[in-house]
Amino acid sequence: MARYKTPDSNQTKMIPLRFADQILPGTFEYTLNHVVDNDLDLSHFDQRYRNDYNGAPAYHPAILLKIVLFAYSRGITSSRKIERACRENVLFMALSGDSQPDHSTIAAFVTRMEDVIAPLFTQVLMVCDGLGLIGREMFAIDGCKLPSNAAKEWSGTHAELTRKQEKIDRAVARMLATHQDLDQRPEAEILARQQAQIEKLQQVSAKIKKHVATEPERLGRGNRPKPIKSNITDPDSATMKTSKGVIQGYNGIAAVDDKHQIIVHAEAYGEGPEQHALMPMLRGIQRQLHTASGQDQQILQTARITADSGFHSEANLQALHRRGIDGYIADNQFRKRDPRFIDSKTYRQEQAKRNKARGHGKPKKFSLSDFDYDPIAVSCRCPAGNEMWRSMHNGQINGRKATSFQGYRKTCRVCPLKGQCLRNPNQKDGRQVTFFAKSERQEVSYQERMREKIDSSMGRHIYSQRLGTVEPVFGNLESNKGLKRFTLRGKAKVNAQWLMYCMVHNIEKITTRGPH
């Protein structure tokens, strides 16, 4: 018969434990503990407290900052889980000196970080710069779209939300009428459930009314901004298209130095489009490095800037040119023009989809070059040889002289080539073409200049470094640090949480790349 050892849960065992010995050199917690204690100025927290003579002593901000950043490095964002870790995990005990703050203290500390996080991020950047981790040769800018602590079902323009509120009110009216009819019947449980549902819908309706009445209509960007969706729960967040579908969230944008992938500037935006964020990010790079080193006034003129197609626009490229910045910002057709991707499986699949959408195998549509235009006689014939009538001569289109022609309606209707010429073979009007005077040709746009620059062999080589600079940073934050969503609400608080995660990344770089 088998024999087993008998456990004794009632025995007493004394384990000598010195918390300082648990924080081993070469680990993230060791670097975090050293940086917070020796390199960060935490005097900004002092103004929060008024307990010099009265009141209980507060938890030291250094302790709270250590355990929050260490929790973020382990993928823990819940204040209750951080509280439990301070009671059960020896590393949290060591960092906090076994002080064990409760979850409400931790939550209050995190939600009030927006006032002090910016100087702390800069001070960590100064440590990175002092260790020679910032190369200042190339900065890669990119965004990471993450869900927020709000549901996209509660998003809409004021008109959409008003219609939704009116629909809820009509449903409540119908339920109240039914409830009054059944009020005399004995089904008390059903009536109580209906009454609870009515009260819930009424609360929702009141919430929508308050939002529409108090929050201004959110508008898009551009010369004629149109109303865009706002969220009742978190008005600063926005609906964004991602590879995983549409989310309600924020776009965390970061500028990363290429030497050791140090984040030099970061900010969260409640907008999906990124064109508007390029110049603020560039100013942030210059400001952060100037604060960190006291120099770098012309850092943008001496370094290269790379960014993906989300930041590509004529206005941004013009701004880079005027400031003398050597930028490499790809457009959304960059990979399609790259000969290295022609033989790839992904390229062939995309090309097959485009050919299918365009009706591959059908005759090619006629372009402007297929029309016989005589600028001397000011006449034009279509590819079928039929004369077209002149609808405009020496007119102005976007400041350029233009001459337009149109096919005769009766001729185009019976033309055997109308399938190749007309956008819709059954359209009533004939084909229209416009020719611009060569002498009035516009200056080459900044987008065309960027295409030529980035399609060159040197441009492709420089731009290819962007992928290996910024994408691993986002991969580290999302996969290794567990940043799957923002847990706070409001742009200021979400931006503070984004900066704290970026601080964790930079401190980790100090651990792995700094002196040992």
Side-chain angles (χ1 to χ4, degrees):
M1 185 175 179
R3 294 185 302 135
Y4 301 101
K5 293 182 178 180
T6 302
D8 185 6
S9 301
N10 294 320
Q11 62 181 324
T12 302
K13 187 174 184 179
M14 303 298 294
I15 303 176
L17 178 65
R18 185 171 180 265
F19 288 122
D21 296 337
Q22 310 307 311
I23 305 178
L24 302 178
T27 61
F28 173 81
E29 55 270 19
Y30 181 88
T31 305
L32 173 64
N33 187 63
H34 183 274
V35 168
V36 173
D37 286 342
N38 299 278
D39 299 308
L40 299 188
D41 180 11
L42 304 180
S43 59
H44 298 282
F45 291 95
D46 294 343
Q47 59 186 354
R48 296 182 178 180
Y49 304 100
R50 295 292 183 270
N51 59 348
D52 297 15
Y53 305 103
N54 298 317
Y59 289 101
H60 199 285
I63 291 176
L64 297 174
L65 184 63
K66 288 178 188 178
I67 62 175
V68 168
L69 294 183
F70 186 64
Y72 281 8
S73 72
R74 297 295 182 93
I76 304 174
T77 56
S78 169
S79 59
R80 293 184 181 272
K81 291 183 178 180
I82 297 176
E83 176 190 359
R84 186 171 63 187
C86 290
R87 296 195 309 265
E88 301 174 354
N89 190 303
V90 68
L91 292 179
F92 280 89
M93 293 180 186
L95 289 173
S96 65
D98 200 26
S99 55
Q100 300 181 5
D102 57 54
H103 65 274
S104 59
T105 302
I106 297 171
F109 179 79
V110 172
T111 55
R112 298 174 63 190
M113 282 294 291
E114 67 267 19
D115 298 332
V116 296
I117 188 62
L120 294 179
F121 177 85
T122 304
Q123 291 167 33
V124 172
L125 194 65
M126 293 172 64
V127 177
C128 296
D129 191 33
L131 297 175
L133 301 182
I134 302 178
R136 292 174 169 79
E137 293 183 359
M138 191 195 79
F139 300 102
I141 302 174
D142 205 352
C144 176
K145 297 176 182 178
L146 295 170
S148 62
N149 190 11
K152 63 181 178 181
E153 288 76 14
W154 294 107
S155 294
T157 62
H158 277 201
E160 294 172 344
L161 292 174
T162 300
R163 288 195 296 269
K164 185 173 183 177
Q165 174 255 317
E166 293 172 350
K167 184 178 179 180
I168 293 175
D169 288 345
R170 290 194 297 269
V172 170
R174 289 194 300 268
M175 294 177 67
L176 284 173
T178 305
H179 184 74
Q180 291 173 357
D181 293 339
L182 299 175
D183 197 25
Q184 304 300 324
R185 301 186 183 182
E187 297 131 338
E189 182 179 353
I190 298 177
L191 294 177
R193 189 162 56 246
Q194 290 179 347
Q195 182 63 34
Q197 187 176 7
I198 290 173
E199 293 176 357
K200 182 178 179 181
L201 290 176
Q202 288 175 337
Q203 292 175 0
V204 171
S205 177
K207 188 176 181 180
I208 296 177
K209 289 179 182 178
K210 181 180 179 181
H211 175 81
V212 174
T214 58
E215 293 291 336
E217 182 79 275
R218 190 170 183 178
L219 302 176
R221 296 180 180 270
N223 296 329
R224 295 181 178 179
K226 297 181 179 179
I228 60 176
K229 294 183 178 181
S230 61
N231 190 270
I232 296 178
T233 308
D234 186 359
D236 293 338
S237 63
T239 53
M240 304 177 183
K241 292 183 179 180
T242 67
S243 58
K244 300 179 181 179
V246 179
I247 65 170
Q248 183 73 32
Y250 288 86
N251 191 0
I253 301 179
V256 184
D257 181 83
D258 72 325
K259 185 177 181 180
H260 290 301
Q261 298 173 340
I262 297 296
I263 302 175
V264 297
H265 183 58
E267 188 168 354
Y269 292 90
E271 297 175 78
E274 299 169 326
Q275 291 91 343
H276 66 92
L278 179 63
M279 299 315 297
M281 291 301 296
L282 294 179
R283 290 191 292 268
I285 294 173
Q286 186 173 16
R287 182 178 64 254
Q288 292 283 16
L289 293 180
H290 175 65
T291 304
S293 64
Q295 302 174 1
D296 294 319
Q297 289 282 9
Q298 302 297 322
I299 184 64
L300 298 179
Q301 285 70 33
T302 58
R304 296 190 180 101
I305 302 296
T306 61
D308 69 355
S309 58
F311 299 87
H312 186 96
S313 70
E314 182 71 13
N316 283 342
L317 300 181
Q318 184 179 9
L320 293 179
H321 177 77
R322 289 180 175 177
R323 289 166 174 78
I325 300 174
D326 186 16
Y328 297 82
I329 304 179
D331 57 283
N332 55 11
Q333 303 294 319
F334 169 69
R335 291 191 179 276
K336 298 176 183 178
R337 298 192 305 269
D338 194 336
R340 297 174 295 181
F341 290 90
I342 293 179
D343 296 330
S344 67
K345 181 179 179 180
T346 304
Y347 179 85
R348 292 196 300 269
Q349 290 175 347
E350 292 181 355
Q351 190 68 25
K353 291 180 181 179
R354 289 195 299 270
N355 291 337
K356 183 178 180 180
R358 296 175 181 176
H360 187 61
K362 297 181 180 180
K364 183 181 178 181
K365 293 287 186 178
F366 292 130
S367 63
L368 200 63
S369 60
D370 296 317
F371 290 80
D372 185 12
Y373 170 57
D374 186 351
I376 305 300
V378 196
S379 63
C380 182
R381 290 184 177 274
C382 70
N386 299 317
E387 187 176 355
M388 306 176 72
W389 63 279
R390 189 174 65 202
S391 58
M392 182 178 65
H393 181 51
N394 287 339
Q396 292 286 330
I397 298 179
N398 294 331
R400 302 170 62 187
K401 285 186 178 181
T403 301
S404 300
F405 296 89
Q406 186 170 359
Y408 289 96
R409 186 178 302 177
K410 62 180 181 179
T411 305
C412 291
R413 284 179 178 176
V414 298
C415 180
L417 300 179
K418 66 179 182 180
Q420 292 179 255
C421 190
L422 300 179
R423 180 176 299 177
N424 181 7
N426 298 322
Q427 70 184 47
K428 296 181 180 180
D429 296 329
R431 171 66 185 267
Q432 296 180 356
V433 290
T434 300
F435 299 91
F436 292 95
K438 293 184 178 180
S439 58
E440 296 291 332
R441 183 180 178 183
Q442 284 185 328
E443 185 181 356
V444 178
S445 67
Y446 292 98
Q447 290 178 318
E448 292 175 353
R449 296 180 186 181
M450 180 58 68
R451 281 195 288 269
E452 295 179 359
K453 178 180 180 180
I454 207 167
D455 284 344
S456 64
S457 57
M458 181 58 69
R460 292 187 185 278
H461 171 70
I462 294 174
Y463 185 75
S464 65
Q465 300 175 27
R466 182 199 70 85
L467 194 66
T469 299
V470 68
E471 294 299 340
V473 174
F474 292 149
N476 178 43
L477 294 177
E478 291 189 61
S479 300
N480 299 334
K481 303 298 177 287
L483 178 58
K484 302 299 183 182
R485 64 185 301 116
F486 293 112
T487 58
L488 303 178
R489 295 174 181 172
K491 182 182 183 303
K493 294 181 180 179
V494 169
N495 185 66
Q497 190 171 39
W498 176 239
L499 284 176
M500 282 192 285
Y501 266 101
C502 293
M503 283 176 59
V504 169
H505 172 83
N506 286 347
I507 294 174
E508 187 177 49
K509 286 296 179 179
I510 297 174
T511 304
T512 57
R513 297 290 183 177
H516 298 285

